[in-house]
Amino acid sequence: MKFIHAADIHLGAEPDKGKSWSGERKKEIYSTFERLIQETNEQKADFLFLCGDIFHKPPTTQELRELDYMLGKLHTAKTVMIAGNHDHMTGQSAYEFCSDVYLLGDRELSYLFFPDEKTCVYGFSYWEREIREERFRDVKPQDIDAVHVLLAHGGDAGHIPIDYEHLKWSGFDYIALGHIHKPQIIYEDLMAYPGSLDPLDAS
């Protein structure tokens, strides 16, 4: 099973808002996401994991249609995604896709089993901007003969604190993190933040 892990795309963000170049920066974020889709196709990946904050704010129906169109260009990869703190689920969130896209949109941990790839993917979505309680303390994979991947968004005091050392021993084969914009390998071949595809601020 081959996958690509990304997070914190922030489609719709306008870095350096008010500057003469801010409009171009907004377009660049979309262009870079399209290059990610091209790279996923070139790698012939089985999955594209998107670990929250795909959008900079809760998306409109039109923005979701545009995302569906872009992800529909994937040749082999199924997309599995969660909503993060910026694009958290709302009562108006109409997450419906025609392409091969799966949203783990529940408030509590749920999973999808893909028998052809023998893979289970777990996760839950934000339903509000901040979640201060630790939500990954007792998560465990199902007793299924499969590769088990956890999608998780958070890692600071206001957005689901994560005890990385404890989570390391939870039994998942890979833990795909989002929220921190700087790439970080927490544990080699096991747990990582991919960081934002494009720089979103001076830091």
Side-chain angles (χ1 to χ4, degrees):
M1 189 272 286
K2 190 176 193 179
F3 66 84
I4 286 181
H5 164 204
D8 301 289
I9 314 298
H10 286 272
L11 296 173
E14 195 170 331
D16 306 324
K17 191 169 184 177
K19 303 291 186 181
S20 59
W21 59 84
S22 60
E24 279 303 309
R25 292 288 293 110
K26 183 177 182 177
K27 292 177 186 175
E28 285 170 0
I29 291 172
Y30 276 90
S31 297
T32 303
F33 185 62
E34 289 176 338
R35 291 204 303 276
L36 172 68
I37 291 170
Q38 293 170 8
E39 180 68 17
T40 304
N41 284 334
E42 289 173 13
Q43 294 293 332
K44 297 180 180 176
D46 299 298
F47 291 100
L48 172 61
F49 298 134
L50 298 177
C51 297
D53 289 358
I54 296 94
F55 293 97
H56 191 58
K57 63 183 188 309
T60 65
T61 300
Q62 181 59 35
E63 286 171 329
L64 287 167
R65 285 176 181 157
E66 291 171 1
L67 178 65
D68 191 23
Y69 173 75
M70 288 188 285
L71 294 175
K73 296 178 182 179
L74 290 170
H75 298 157
T76 60
K78 298 176 175 70
T79 302
V80 186
M81 58 186 281
I82 57 175
N85 58 297
H86 274 270
D87 55 3
H88 61 278
M89 307 285 288
T90 68
Q92 287 76 43
S93 298
Y95 281 85
E96 297 178 0
F97 299 97
C98 297
S99 51
D100 212 355
V101 179
Y102 303 84
L103 171 70
L104 291 161
D106 293 343
R107 298 170 190 248
E108 303 298 328
L109 189 75
S110 61
Y111 74 95
L112 297 165
F113 176 55
F114 299 91
D116 290 346
E117 294 82 8
K118 291 192 71 176
T119 300
C120 280
V121 187
Y122 303 74
F124 62 84
S125 288
Y126 279 62
W127 282 75
E128 51 194 328
R129 187 67 183 261
E130 290 191 355
I131 303 176
R132 294 184 174 274
E133 66 267 25
E134 192 174 345
R135 298 284 304 277
F136 299 110
R137 186 75 185 175
D138 299 313
V139 295
K140 297 286 181 187
Q142 296 289 311
D143 186 16
I144 299 172
D145 181 19
V147 174
H148 298 273
V149 179
L150 174 66
L151 311 187
H153 190 91
D156 63 34
H159 307 94
I160 311 185
I162 299 174
D163 182 337
Y164 301 114
E165 178 66 20
H166 186 85
L167 191 56
K168 174 183 179 180
W169 302 106
S170 58
F172 292 96
D173 297 294
Y174 184 73
I175 299 163
L177 300 172
H179 182 61
I180 306 300
H181 291 179
K182 184 177 179 180
Q184 296 180 49
I185 305 297
I186 307 298
Y187 295 107
E188 190 74 29
D189 298 327
L190 177 63
M191 189 187 307
Y193 288 99
S196 297
L197 293 178
D198 265 295
L200 300 172
D201 54 48
S203 62

